[in-house]
């Protein structure tokens, strides 16, 4: 398998350097970054910084100190890191693997969406960039990608298996160039790079995604993998354990037995690294601009010198997007020496955009923190219990159907982030629930049938598995998809797979401060196929509790006994699953029976509930 060979040369964690300086955070009002024990970056001959699934979080996490650096800070960071590469005579490349949009007010709150985002994002010089599925759900988003981001990164944008349909001519054209061949700045290494999207089928009709197994048979691809090159770089909006990457790996490797192949993936929102053989390496760099991934490779990279006898060494780090950590990795800089003029300008652009969008407008003050997966469901601190017991009973109401008891079902994937104690702002609404789904219903469903639906949605994997894209796990949060993936795609023996180890893994903190050691902040404690030393920051582990695909509230039920019939109320997003479940229990309903239950998106209804029920000010 080569797993062990790939791990040779992976050093143990470099001596930890504790960070104690203080810093001004980038966005006004953002939490002060926190010091923590660090692991250093290991530089190689070819080095990469990788972002993925940033989902509009380019202002950083204003409520989470360990991720509060912004896109302007990343611009400054990349500047210093390029200078360090130049000093050493090595090369540094920046990669982004898509899903840059949807999931944060900075992108979603403007009309049209992304009014400020495109100009902010393009300020970073990204060397290899591709498309995620979120760039393609709405035709207008795909238009924006094609008309703004692709030209902004003209030389660097790659679309190996994605076409765009021109709205005027109706002509189908590649979204961007199919691959890119270039030379690195300092060592003049030849690179052939590809940019893929997984076999996504939910795109709007103005793009066409070609399944990866077809793309690798195209003549242009057959020719590209025969190019004279030193290294192949495959970036993709693809989980590093998904079959699409294996297909690409096999195709390239068959033709090029010795060439290093470096993969950068995303989509499943986790930190992860693996190797497909001893001369390949694959990195996934988390989500929401919490993580900047680092990969380096050393050894005989020139094709003339490559041989089985000259092994390569690979390193990876998951850099917390923490200003203090960025200072450290950039060579021990500080609040005065770190920000570049360009970086400051970009931070200022973000501040202006946030003000123009009034993202700090508070609907109310969250009395406590509600977690998605860090605390058990059901439970007092579970965001899902809060929705089930407090929010749904108030919002699943329509005056004309008030007298009819209802079951209200919401898929857990509709919630994308925790709610922190403190102001619940316009920004928070997009962060917590970035979707436009509305509450729909089927009237007067026999209770005996309706009450079974939730069980099937949550438990009947095999029934839905045969439905392909309708597998019921797609109703849950993407982070759980990653767990599923690690189970389905068996990890090599001895590997523990992911940072999630099932329910409530690892509740014991590494250090609690009582013995005089640094008190660790909670955060990622990643285990990947390389080991458990990937995170740049030593953290106390975070709990991860698995949540069901869907939750359900009984609303307007009689105090005793069961109702004859109920209105089955559910988020319109899960309509296909609900119809299958109803059919399974003998309820013969179709799309035609599904009607709107309440005006307004679930997100708007939730914000309205908060405005009414939580104190206005903190
Ligand atoms: C895509 O769908 C829209 C609305 O359903 C339709 O107006 C348009 O013609 C379709 N475009 C293509 C390229 O099929
Ligand atoms: C930063 O912004 C100032 C004022 O708009 C401008 O004059 C300057 O050229 C910008 N510098 C960079 C490096 O972008
Ligand atoms: C209640 O349902 C009716 C019929 O679907 C709809 O016209 C009305 O707008 C709904 N009321 C509210 C407050 O959403």
């Amino acid at each position: 398998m080569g797993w062990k060979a790939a791990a040779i040369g992976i050093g143990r964690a470099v001596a930890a350097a504790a960070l104690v300086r203080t810093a001004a955070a980038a966005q006004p009002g953002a939490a002060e970054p926190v010091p923590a024990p660090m692991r250093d970056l290991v530089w190689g001959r070819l080095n990469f910084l990788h972002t993925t699934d940033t989902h509009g979080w380019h202002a950083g996490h204003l409520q989470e100190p360990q991720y509060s650096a912004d896109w302007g800070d990343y611009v400054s960071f990349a500047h210093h890191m390029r200078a360090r590469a130049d000093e050493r005579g090595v090369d540094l490349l920046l990669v982004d693997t898509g899903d840059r949009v949807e999931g944060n007010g900075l992108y979603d709150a403007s009309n049209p969406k992304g009014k400020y985002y495109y100009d902010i994002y393009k300020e970073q010089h990204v060397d290899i960039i591709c498309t995620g599925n979120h760039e393609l759900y709405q035709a207008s988003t795909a238009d924006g990608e094609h008309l703004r981001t692709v030209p902004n990164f003209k030389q660097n944008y790659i679309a190996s298996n994605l076409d765009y349909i021109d709205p005027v001519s109706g002509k189908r054209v590649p979204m961007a160039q199919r691959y890119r061949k270039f030379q690195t700045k300092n060592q003049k290494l030849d690179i052939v790079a590809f940019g893929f999207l997984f076999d996504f089928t939910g795109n709007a009709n103005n793009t066409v995604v070609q399944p990866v197994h077809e793309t690798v048979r195209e003549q242009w691809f057959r020719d590209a993998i025969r190019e004279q090159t030193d290294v192949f770089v495959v970036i993709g909006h693809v989980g590093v354990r998904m079959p699409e990457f294996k297909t690409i790996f096999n195709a390239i490797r068959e033709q090029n037995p010795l060439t290093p192949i470096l993969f950068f993936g995303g989509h499943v929102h986790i930190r992860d690294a693996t190797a497909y053989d001893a001369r390949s390496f694959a990195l996934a760099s988390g989500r929401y601009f919490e993580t900047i991934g680092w990969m380096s490779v050393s050894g005989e990279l020139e094709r003339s010198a490559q041989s089985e006898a000259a092994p390569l060494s690979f390193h990876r780090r998951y850099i917390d997007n923490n200003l203090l950590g960025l200072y450290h990795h950039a060579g021990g800089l500080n609040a005065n020496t770190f920000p570049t003029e360009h970086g400051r300008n970009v931070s200022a652009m973000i501040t202006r955009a946030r003000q123009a969008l009034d993202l700090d407008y508070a609907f109310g003050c969250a009395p406590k923190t509600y977690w998605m997966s860090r605390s058990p469901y059901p439970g007092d601190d579970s965001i899902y219990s809060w929705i089930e017991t407090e929010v749904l009973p108030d919002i699943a109401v329509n005056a004309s159907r008030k007298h009819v008891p209802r079951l209200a079902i919401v898929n857990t994937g509709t919630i994308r982030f925790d709610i922190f104690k403190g102001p619940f702002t316009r920004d928070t609404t997009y962060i917590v629930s970035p979707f436009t789904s509305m509450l729909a219903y089927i009237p007067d469903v026999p209770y005996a049938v309706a009450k079974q639906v939730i069980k099937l949605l949550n438990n009947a994997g095999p029934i839905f598995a045969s439905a392909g894209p309708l597998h019921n796990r797609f109703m849950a949060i993407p982070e759980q998809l990653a767990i599923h993936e690690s189970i389905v795609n068996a990890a090599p023996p001895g590997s523990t797979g992911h940072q999630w180890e099932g329910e409530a893994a690892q509740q014991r903190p590494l250090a609690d401060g009582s013995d005089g050691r640094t008190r660790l902040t909670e955060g990622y404690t990643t285990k990947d196929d390389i080991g458990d030393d990937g995170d740049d920051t030593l953290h106390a582990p975070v709990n991860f509790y698995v949540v069901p695909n869907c939750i359900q509230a009984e609303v307007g039920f009689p105090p005793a006994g069961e109702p004859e019939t109920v209105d089955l109320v559910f988020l319109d997003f899960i309509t296909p699953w609900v119809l299958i479940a109803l059919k399974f229990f003998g309820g013969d309903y179709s799309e035609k029976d599904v009607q709107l239950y309440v005006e307004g998106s679930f997100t708007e209804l939730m914000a309205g509930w908060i405005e009414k029920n939580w104190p206005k000010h903190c």
Side-chain angles (χ1 to χ4, degrees), residues 407 445-452 552 554 557 562-566:
L407 289 175
V445 178
Y447 182 61
V449 173
K451 74 174 178 191
Q452 314 248 44
Q552 169 176 280
E554 296 177 352
F557 268 50
E562 290 191 347
E564 257 325 272
T565 62
V566 293

Side-chain angles (χ1 to χ4, degrees), residues 55-56 101-117 353-361 363 425-431 433-434 436 603:
H55 286 287
V101 302
E102 298 185 340
N104 188 290
L106 189 63
Y107 176 84
D108 291 282
S110 64
N111 188 9
K113 288 179 190 296
K115 188 169 162 191
Y116 303 94
Y117 148 79
R354 287 183 48 81
Q355 281 164 354
L357 293 169
D358 203 9
L359 292 184
D360 289 327
Y361 170 83
F363 288 97
T425 64
R426 193 183 308 285
D427 200 20
T428 321
T429 58
Y430 295 102
I431 289 168
S433 187
T436 51
T603 304

Side-chain angles (χ1 to χ4, degrees), residues 123 340-346 352:
E123 290 298 316
T340 62
E341 182 185 317
H342 187 197
R344 281 187 205 277
N345 279 3
V346 176
R352 285 196 299 273

Side-chain angles (χ1 to χ4, degrees), residues 161-401:
N161 65 332
L162 178 63
D163 287 346
Y164 174 72
I165 297 174
D166 186 286
V168 180
S169 68
K171 259 177 60 187
R172 179 174 161 180
V173 294
M175 180 70 151
Q177 63 196 327
R178 291 291 186 221
Y179 75 104
R180 168 161 195 236
K181 184 168 184 188
F182 62 102
Q183 248 184 9
T184 62
K185 178 182 167 194
N186 292 324
Q187 300 164 101
K188 309 293 178 211
L189 292 168
D190 288 321
I191 310 268
V192 167
F194 299 97
F196 277 91
L197 174 61
F198 71 96
D199 295 350
F200 176 54
T201 55
N203 48 319
N205 66 0
N206 63 342
T207 57
V208 181
V209 182
Q210 184 182 43
V212 169
H213 67 268
E214 290 177 18
T215 307
V216 299
R217 291 202 297 262
E218 295 282 353
Q219 192 55 47
W220 74 260
F221 184 85
R222 309 302 308 165
D223 294 341
I225 62 176
R226 286 170 173 79
E227 291 264 17
Q228 294 292 306
T229 190
D230 297 313
V231 178
F232 286 102
V233 177
V234 180
I235 76 163
H237 193 76
V238 180
V240 297
R241 288 160 205 278
M242 285 168 66
E244 287 89 337
F245 266 179
K246 281 287 174 63
T247 301
I248 299 162
F249 168 76
N250 289 336
I252 299 177
R253 183 55 85 220
E254 201 183 328
Q255 183 64 34
N256 303 274
L258 290 175
T259 317
I261 314 175
L262 310 178
F263 286 82
F264 294 87
H267 183 54
V268 283
H269 289 190
I270 59 164
R271 295 177 170 192
D272 198 10
T274 189
Y276 306 130
D277 69 3
R279 304 182 71 80
S280 70
F281 201 68
L283 180 74
S285 300
R287 58 164 200 186
Y288 302 157
F289 200 34
E290 292 168 343
T291 303
I292 300 168
W294 170 262
M295 187 200 287
S296 65
V297 52
S298 282
E300 300 290 353
L301 297 179
E302 289 80 2
R303 57 188 175 276
S304 56
Q306 288 167 7
S307 82
E308 209 63 83
L312 303 168
S313 72
F314 301 94
H315 290 88
R316 53 84 181 91
R317 264 302 166 254
Y318 308 105
I319 303 173
D320 276 3
N321 188 31
N322 180 340
L323 207 42
L324 293 174
L326 301 187
Y327 293 175
H328 174 73
H329 296 310
L333 302 180
N334 60 42
N336 296 321
T337 54
F338 178 82
T340 62
E341 182 185 317
H342 187 197
R344 281 187 205 277
N345 279 3
V346 176
S347 294
M349 284 172 84
I350 297 169
T351 306
R352 285 196 299 273
R354 287 183 48 81
Q355 281 164 354
L357 293 169
D358 203 9
L359 292 184
D360 289 327
Y361 170 83
F363 288 97
C365 179
K368 60 192 249 189
T369 296
Y370 292 97
W371 301 108
M372 295 167 63
S373 308
R374 280 206 216 179
S375 92
Y377 163 86
D380 285 350
D381 299 325
S382 162
I383 198 166
Y384 301 110
S385 289
W386 167 69
I387 288 171
E388 195 174 85
T389 59
E390 299 194 52
V391 181
L392 279 177
D394 267 9
I395 67 170
V397 179
N398 183 313
S400 66
R401 303 291 299 173

Side-chain angles (χ1 to χ4, degrees), residues 122-142:
K122 80 166 199 285
E123 290 298 316
Q124 180 63 286
H125 180 93
V126 182
D127 298 281
I128 317 174
I129 179 171
C130 67
T131 315
N133 52 308
H134 275 266
E135 274 84 17
L136 306 180
Y137 281 109
Q138 308 290 330
S140 57
T141 320

Side-chain angles (χ1 to χ4, degrees), residues 42-93:
V42 180
W43 283 78
R45 292 187 56 198
L46 191 51
N47 307 277
F48 295 84
L49 292 172
H50 176 210
T51 49
T52 192
D53 299 83
T54 50
H55 286 287
W57 287 78
H58 305 101
H61 290 234
L62 277 76
Q63 291 176 300
E64 287 177 289
Q66 73 213 49
Y67 311 122
S68 61
D70 69 17
W71 199 245
D73 297 314
Y74 185 40
V75 167
S76 299
F77 182 57
H79 168 87
H80 297 300
M81 296 298 274
R82 282 195 198 94
R84 300 197 83 191
D86 291 349
E87 278 163 26
R88 291 162 189 254
V90 299
D91 289 293
L92 176 72
L93 297 171

